[in-house]
Amino acid sequence: MKALHIGIALLGLTALTQAKDLRSDINKMSNTITHAMEKKDMKTLEKTMKAGLTPDFAYVEAGQKQSFSEMFENMKAGIGQMKKLKAATKITSLKQTGNTATCLMSHSMTGFTSGPDKKDHTMAFSGISEDKYVKVGGKWLMSQMSWKSQKGTMDGKPMAGMGH
């Protein structure tokens, strides 16, 4: 279920800020995005995330680049498969140098989905992303999100292709 971890990736797209305290602004946007994901409010999620990205934003996973539109469509499909979803993020480090910043962000998400057997299954994801920010017109915008590590499980068992 690659779509599940793509959904959590969007939690890292927390960049719209007014330049003074990037850390608190990232946390604020993460909360907004997390709540929209958990409510499956895709309109709010898309609008919030787009407002915090550079026009040339790149999402990178396993060496593969995607645009925001490609990533969002995959995330939307993943969230659509979930009956219930709980997500969280935490900044593990943040380094600013002039008009650029790099943030390591810890992500976790747990959701319930139906399998081919028509039974509910628990999917869990955790990972660390490296998010690059640039200051544009006085606002911090995310220019790139790259996964450094990922781990996914289905009913507690490792999922193939998810860092296991």
Side-chain angles (χ1 to χ4, degrees):
M1 304 278 343
K2 185 175 182 177
L4 177 64
H5 71 275
I6 291 172
I8 192 70
L10 294 179
L11 288 175
L13 303 178
T14 59
L16 181 61
T17 68
Q18 294 299 322
K20 293 218 172 156
D21 186 0
L22 181 56
R23 180 179 296 273
S24 66
D25 289 336
I26 289 172
N27 286 328
K28 181 180 176 184
M29 291 303 292
S30 290
N31 288 336
T32 301
I33 290 169
T34 298
H35 292 303
M37 286 180 69
E38 290 175 347
K39 292 178 181 178
K40 295 185 177 188
D41 181 352
M42 302 312 287
K43 286 182 182 182
T44 297
L45 186 61
E46 183 175 24
K47 180 180 176 184
T48 301
M49 292 186 316
K50 271 187 170 182
L53 302 175
T54 61
D56 62 345
F57 169 79
Y59 171 81
V60 182
E61 180 178 348
Q64 300 290 322
K65 280 189 178 182
Q66 294 181 4
S67 67
F68 171 76
S69 297
E70 292 166 324
M71 182 186 67
F72 190 78
E73 286 305 311
N74 289 326
M75 182 270 325
K76 192 163 62 170
I79 289 176
Q81 295 176 14
M82 296 293 124
K83 292 183 179 183
K84 189 174 181 180
L85 180 61
K86 198 71 176 160
T89 61
K90 181 180 179 184
I91 295 172
T92 60
S93 73
L94 178 61
K95 294 178 183 163
Q96 288 178 249
T97 305
N99 290 331
T100 63
T102 301
C103 178
L104 291 180
M105 182 75 82
S106 172
H107 304 265
S108 65
M109 183 165 58
T110 303
F112 300 96
T113 188
S114 291
D117 59 3
K118 308 272 192 247
K119 294 181 181 178
D120 283 347
H121 297 276
T122 303
M123 293 182 68
F125 169 82
S126 62
I128 301 287
S129 67
E130 180 179 74
D131 307 333
K132 304 271 186 183
Y133 294 88
V134 294
K135 194 183 287 186
V136 179
K139 295 180 183 179
W140 286 101
L141 301 176
M142 185 184 286
S143 62
Q144 183 174 325
M145 178 182 189
S146 301
W147 285 104
K148 296 301 172 192
S149 66
Q150 297 176 321
K151 179 182 176 183
T153 61
M154 173 75 81
D155 296 329
K157 295 178 184 172
M159 290 173 50
M162 291 294 299
H164 297 284

